Amino acid sequence: MLIVDIVGLSILAIFLLFIFHKKNKMASDYMLIVTIILIAGIFISDLWVRQGGLTKPNFILEKLVSFYVLPSFLAYSMLLISNDNKLKMKWWWFASFAIAFSVFIFIDFTFLTDYDIEKLRAQHRTPSTIYQFFYRGGNVFVFVALIWFFKKLKQYQQRIRNDYSFIETIKLTWLVNFAWIYFINNLLVLLISSAFSFWHLGSLELLYIIVYASIVLSLFYLCYNGIRQYSLVEYNNAIGLNNNAEIEAKRPVSTLKNKDSDKYKSSSLSIEEMESIFKQIKELFEIEKIYLEPQLKIQDLSDSINVTTHNISQTINSKAQQSFYDFVNKYRAEHFKTLLANPDNRKFTILALGIESGFNSKATLNRIFKKQVGVSPKEFQKSHFIA
């Protein structure tokens, strides 16, 4: 267990140094620092208990810090997917359960119970009913909060598909994965601690080893991906496209299957205006080939034809039945097909032709091309020349 604590603290120290040296830090970076410090508190309190014995301070520290990791992580994550990278008062509910437990533990240690070393050990090893309520309630709170967060992540990922033609570096797949790791780890804690507390199965030491080892692995994943999220700076700076876009981002994200969805019910855009906007968009794509710009954003279309991003998004969603991301990449795939079918281009690599078509990476062009055409670029090129 000592080794797990030391390894965990070492990883945290390394990544804290990276974050402190990052230039142009945003609020999300500072919240990541807070999250890492709180996780470090879990390891420090465990070391304190093991090396110095159980005392009131390290007992309280050990219990409290774990309750504040979730609100800190959620605040960090919401900053990543927010439009302005600013903390919101409405997010304080993240910490409601942790604050309630803090109040209880203060009252318990100040007024309710006169803890000596024996009572502390008993409370540490076999928590009383009220402590069990907070521990298990904390597990349930994590489940509820993460389910809510998964919904927010889904809305964020839908929103960027309506604003960007490149989403691979900003769709935060790693954050989704970590949230699932957090969810599963919390479930593991709930099952093992319940087995120990209610059925006296297993040992407390085994519980701590499993939980702490899981924390070490998951925090490495979180920290590594969190500090390399530099591309999100560009997204957060660009997402404030205009007032209409900001208002739209606050509404629930609609699905593209229903063109009369609630998202555009308040729009005053007429059918004739929509037809005119779509004609201008088609000219940009088919004549000027604007889709060849790898970093193309919906704002670029707005600047070109002097139409709000909201109206452009509505027009593409309604007329093409696609998100901006899918609409742009359909044109790229068609252009890519033309290049692949040209015998003069056989001297170039598939990746070079893909980049020439506006794609940003080999993985992206392969995935989108296969989705659009049904075969990989290599298979398409080979079958075309055989035919």
Side-chain angles (χ1 to χ4, degrees), residues 95-140:
S96 58
F97 201 87
I99 293 172
F101 181 64
S102 300
V103 171
F104 164 75
I105 205 168
F106 171 78
I107 294 173
D108 182 38
F109 273 75
T110 305
F111 304 107
L112 300 182
T113 308
D114 183 18
Y115 282 103
D116 56 23
I117 188 62
E118 293 302 323
K119 288 182 179 180
L120 274 178
R121 288 174 180 171
Q123 190 66 269
H124 182 68
R125 181 170 180 79
T126 54
S128 61
T129 302
I130 186 63
Y131 275 87
Q132 286 285 5
F133 167 79
F134 277 104
Y135 296 159
R136 303 295 75 80
N139 294 135
V140 174

Side-chain angles (χ1 to χ4, degrees), residues 320-366:
Q321 291 290 288
Q322 290 177 307
S323 66
F324 175 72
Y325 175 82
D326 292 328
F327 183 75
V328 174
N329 284 297
K330 182 178 180 180
Y331 275 91
R332 288 173 176 168
E334 289 298 320
H335 186 85
F336 191 25
K337 283 171 61 178
T338 303
L339 295 182
L340 289 171
N342 188 340
D344 294 337
N345 290 330
R346 296 193 71 179
K347 59 185 176 182
F348 301 110
T349 65
I350 288 177
L351 177 58
L353 297 176
I355 293 175
E356 181 69 20
S357 302
F359 292 107
N360 287 283
S361 68
K362 185 175 182 180
T364 301
L365 70 88
N366 280 330

